[in-house]
PDB file of all heavy atoms in Angstrom:
ATOM      1  N   ASN A 341     100.164  70.025  95.402  1.00  0.00           N
ATOM      2  CA  ASN A 341     100.361  69.475  96.743  1.00  0.00           C
ATOM      3  C   ASN A 341      99.054  69.053  97.412  1.00  0.00           C
ATOM      4  O   ASN A 341      99.057  68.630  98.565  1.00  0.00           O
ATOM      5  CB  ASN A 341     101.065  70.497  97.632  1.00  0.00           C
ATOM      6  CG  ASN A 341     102.436  70.859  97.102  1.00  0.00           C
ATOM      7  OD1 ASN A 341     103.184  69.989  96.668  1.00  0.00           O
ATOM      8  ND2 ASN A 341     102.757  72.146  97.109  1.00  0.00           N
ATOM      9  N   GLY A 342      97.940  69.251  96.703  1.00  0.00           N
ATOM     10  CA  GLY A 342      96.639  68.921  97.276  1.00  0.00           C
ATOM     11  C   GLY A 342      96.069  70.031  98.146  1.00  0.00           C
ATOM     12  O   GLY A 342      95.078  69.829  98.841  1.00  0.00           O
ATOM     13  N   ASP A 343      96.709  71.209  98.116  1.00  0.00           N
ATOM     14  CA  ASP A 343      96.216  72.347  98.897  1.00  0.00           C
ATOM     15  C   ASP A 343      95.104  73.056  98.141  1.00  0.00           C
ATOM     16  O   ASP A 343      95.139  73.167  96.911  1.00  0.00           O
ATOM     17  CB  ASP A 343      97.347  73.341  99.178  1.00  0.00           C
ATOM     18  CG  ASP A 343      98.418  72.767 100.094  1.00  0.00           C
ATOM     19  OD1 ASP A 343      98.141  71.761 100.786  1.00  0.00           O
ATOM     20  OD2 ASP A 343      99.525  73.326 100.114  1.00  0.00           O
ATOM     21  N   PHE A 344      94.137  73.570  98.874  1.00  0.00           N
ATOM     22  CA  PHE A 344      92.989  74.252  98.291  1.00  0.00           C
ATOM     23  C   PHE A 344      93.427  75.433  97.432  1.00  0.00           C
ATOM     24  O   PHE A 344      94.247  76.242  97.834  1.00  0.00           O
ATOM     25  CB  PHE A 344      92.062  74.748  99.409  1.00  0.00           C
ATOM     26  CG  PHE A 344      90.910  75.563  98.916  1.00  0.00           C
ATOM     27  CD1 PHE A 344      89.896  74.979  98.180  1.00  0.00           C
ATOM     28  CD2 PHE A 344      90.847  76.921  99.183  1.00  0.00           C
ATOM     29  CE1 PHE A 344      88.827  75.739  97.719  1.00  0.00           C
ATOM     30  CE2 PHE A 344      89.789  77.689  98.733  1.00  0.00           C
ATOM     31  CZ  PHE A 344      88.779  77.094  98.002  1.00  0.00           C
ATOM     32  N   SER A 345      92.867  75.530  96.219  1.00  0.00           N
ATOM     33  CA  SER A 345      93.210  76.617  95.306  1.00  0.00           C
ATOM     34  C   SER A 345      92.003  77.400  94.814  1.00  0.00           C
ATOM     35  O   SER A 345      92.158  78.465  94.234  1.00  0.00           O
ATOM     36  CB  SER A 345      93.941  76.068  94.080  1.00  0.00           C
ATOM     37  OG  SER A 345      95.183  75.558  94.451  1.00  0.00           O
ATOM     38  N   GLY A 346      90.795  76.882  95.002  1.00  0.00           N
ATOM     39  CA  GLY A 346      89.611  77.604  94.562  1.00  0.00           C
ATOM     40  C   GLY A 346      88.392  76.701  94.476  1.00  0.00           C
ATOM     41  O   GLY A 346      88.491  75.477  94.544  1.00  0.00           O
ATOM     42  N   TYR A 347      87.254  77.344  94.326  1.00  0.00           N
ATOM     43  CA  TYR A 347      85.966  76.654  94.248  1.00  0.00           C
ATOM     44  C   TYR A 347      85.480  76.689  92.804  1.00  0.00           C
ATOM     45  O   TYR A 347      85.394  77.750  92.194  1.00  0.00           O
ATOM     46  CB  TYR A 347      84.971  77.352  95.180  1.00  0.00           C
ATOM     47  CG  TYR A 347      83.537  76.941  95.013  1.00  0.00           C
ATOM     48  CD1 TYR A 347      83.143  75.620  95.164  1.00  0.00           C
ATOM     49  CD2 TYR A 347      82.564  77.886  94.737  1.00  0.00           C
ATOM     50  CE1 TYR A 347      81.815  75.249  95.026  1.00  0.00           C
ATOM     51  CE2 TYR A 347      81.234  77.525  94.601  1.00  0.00           C
ATOM     52  CZ  TYR A 347      80.870  76.212  94.746  1.00  0.00           C
ATOM     53  OH  TYR A 347      79.553  75.852  94.603  1.00  0.00           O
ATOM     54  N   PHE A 348      85.206  75.524  92.252  1.00  0.00           N
ATOM     55  CA  PHE A 348      84.692  75.385  90.890  1.00  0.00           C
ATOM     56  C   PHE A 348      83.174  75.483  90.991  1.00  0.00           C
ATOM     57  O   PHE A 348      82.488  74.504  91.252  1.00  0.00           O
ATOM     58  CB  PHE A 348      85.139  74.031  90.321  1.00  0.00           C
ATOM     59  CG  PHE A 348      84.940  73.884  88.838  1.00  0.00           C
ATOM     60  CD1 PHE A 348      85.904  74.325  87.947  1.00  0.00           C
ATOM     61  CD2 PHE A 348      83.802  73.274  88.336  1.00  0.00           C
ATOM     62  CE1 PHE A 348      85.739  74.157  86.572  1.00  0.00           C
ATOM     63  CE2 PHE A 348      83.626  73.106  86.974  1.00  0.00           C
ATOM     64  CZ  PHE A 348      84.591  73.551  86.094  1.00  0.00           C
ATOM     65  N   SER A 349      82.669  76.696  90.831  1.00  0.00           N
ATOM     66  CA  SER A 349      81.254  76.987  91.049  1.00  0.00           C
ATOM     67  C   SER A 349      80.393  76.565  89.867  1.00  0.00           C
ATOM     68  O   SER A 349      80.911  76.275  88.780  1.00  0.00           O
ATOM     69  CB  SER A 349      81.084  78.487  91.286  1.00  0.00           C
ATOM     70  OG  SER A 349      81.353  79.184  90.076  1.00  0.00           O
ATOM     71  N   PRO A 350      79.070  76.573  90.045  1.00  0.00           N
ATOM     72  CA  PRO A 350      78.183  76.303  88.905  1.00  0.00           C
ATOM     73  C   PRO A 350      78.426  77.265  87.733  1.00  0.00           C
ATOM     74  O   PRO A 350      78.361  76.844  86.580  1.00  0.00           O
ATOM     75  CB  PRO A 350      76.785  76.484  89.499  1.00  0.00           C
ATOM     76  CG  PRO A 350      76.958  76.095  90.943  1.00  0.00           C
ATOM     77  CD  PRO A 350      78.321  76.641  91.306  1.00  0.00           C
ATOM     78  N   SER A 351      78.754  78.517  88.009  1.00  0.00           N
ATOM     79  CA  SER A 351      79.031  79.446  86.900  1.00  0.00           C
ATOM     80  C   SER A 351      80.359  79.092  86.218  1.00  0.00           C
ATOM     81  O   SER A 351      80.499  79.261  85.001  1.00  0.00           O
ATOM     82  CB  SER A 351      79.018  80.905  87.364  1.00  0.00           C
ATOM     83  OG  SER A 351      79.991  81.145  88.340  1.00  0.00           O
TER      84      SER A 351
END
Side-chain angles (χ1 to χ4, degrees):
N341 299 317
D343 294 342
F344 175 69
S345 293
Y347 168 58
F348 193 86
S349 69
S351 61

